Amino acid sequence: MNKTALIVGGSGGIGSCLVQQFYEAGYQVIFTYHKNKEAARMLENQYGAVPYQLDPTHEESVEKIKVYLASNYSSLNAFVYAAGIFEDALVDNMELSSWNQVLSVNLTGAFLTTRYLLPLLRKSGNGRILYIGSVMGDAGCYGSCGYSAAKAGLIALAKSVALENAKKNVTANVLSYGYIDAGMTAQVSENILDSAIRKIPMKRLGNASDAAKIAVDLCAEHMNYVSGQVVRVNGALYV
């Protein structure tokens, strides 16, 4: 039986690396995108991955992908939530609308997709849930209260899902990235990035391909006794 993986947010920088690595590990990969059809088409052509347009913050949209997966695939072995947005603001400057949007995409979307996909993961007999977290969720971050709060929330969500599904052969973990050379790191200005690298004990950015391979490792069958954990990939920036 072919293994199937769903990457929510697969058209982004980290997401596209995840699509590649799961494909190379032998998975049938379905990935979601929100608006970037061009990036989705490129991934489809390159890896034979199946694109699906999804807004993970809308319940009706999430319910539809559950029906789609149940109708077209015999199982769902791995589900990776990599969707995310980032907005800088100090607490006293952040608009409520921005706060709600950041929390909606980064945390509420993870909850909604998990809620609807759990039956398919349980059915597989070895379901793996992996949330892409951040060092900002571990340590907080000056000027990024919403993003940090959302990523911290993923940790508690994973622990709760892990406990609730421990007897159902479904694991849930967080892969917490530091500064990886892909995705949102590209949005950071050069001077801030240089300052960040000086604080990293390894004095470099993480390799995106290597970081994505760790996600595949955490979804392997032999990882069946690892659940409710935070695996940190940050060059010892936070330990």
Side-chain angles (χ1 to χ4, degrees):
M1 180 180 68
N2 290 332
K3 296 179 293 183
T4 304
L6 172 67
I7 315 296
V8 173
S11 62
I14 289 290
S16 60
C17 292
L18 292 167
V19 169
Q20 177 185 356
Q21 294 303 325
F22 274 91
Y23 165 78
E24 293 182 354
Y27 285 81
Q28 168 64 68
V29 181
I30 306 98
F31 71 95
T32 76
Y33 67 99
H34 188 201
K35 295 179 180 178
N36 197 338
K37 290 184 179 181
E38 183 177 349
R41 191 178 299 111
M42 288 176 62
L43 285 171
E44 180 181 19
N45 293 337
Q46 197 166 4
Y47 303 114
V50 179
Y52 188 100
Q53 190 168 24
L54 174 76
D55 182 346
T57 69
H58 286 184
E59 188 168 10
E60 183 179 347
S61 182
V62 175
E63 187 172 13
K64 285 180 179 178
I65 196 173
K66 174 194 174 181
V67 173
Y68 168 79
L69 292 169
S71 301
N72 290 279
Y73 299 93
S74 59
S75 67
L76 179 61
N77 303 93
F79 157 51
V80 183
Y81 192 85
I85 61 171
F86 181 88
E87 290 191 29
D88 278 329
L90 297 173
V91 172
D92 52 352
N93 292 332
M94 191 165 198
E95 298 291 338
L96 180 58
S97 58
S98 295
W99 168 273
N100 286 339
Q101 182 67 11
V102 171
L103 269 289
S104 181
V105 175
N106 291 285
L107 183 57
T108 302
F111 156 71
L112 274 177
T113 47
T114 301
R115 177 187 174 193
Y116 278 93
L117 296 176
L118 267 172
L120 304 181
L121 292 157
R122 291 168 180 161
K123 183 180 177 181
S124 75
N126 63 344
R128 301 284 181 265
I129 298 171
L130 189 61
Y131 303 118
I132 301 302
S134 168
V135 66
M136 294 183 187
D138 292 316
C141 183
Y142 184 93
S144 299
C145 60
Y147 187 80
S148 298
K151 292 300 185 179
L154 285 179
I155 295 173
L157 176 62
K159 290 178 182 291
S160 297
V161 173
L163 290 169
E164 292 173 7
N165 290 274
K167 295 181 180 179
K168 298 169 183 174
N169 296 320
V170 174
T171 66
N173 295 290
V174 174
L175 182 53
S176 179
Y177 287 140
Y179 288 92
I180 306 298
D181 193 13
M184 293 183 184
T185 301
Q187 301 175 24
V188 179
S189 64
E190 187 174 346
N191 62 319
I192 293 177
L193 194 58
D194 288 342
S195 175
I197 291 173
R198 287 195 294 270
K199 295 176 183 177
I200 300 171
M202 290 189 178
K203 303 302 180 186
R204 62 179 176 84
L205 300 178
N207 178 276
S209 179
D210 290 344
K213 288 177 184 176
I214 297 170
V216 178
D217 293 340
L218 287 169
C219 291
E221 290 187 23
H222 66 268
M223 300 298 283
N224 59 76
Y225 208 54
V226 178
S227 195
Q229 304 303 309
V230 181
V231 176
R232 296 183 171 93
V233 182
N234 60 38
L237 177 62
Y238 179 90
V239 295

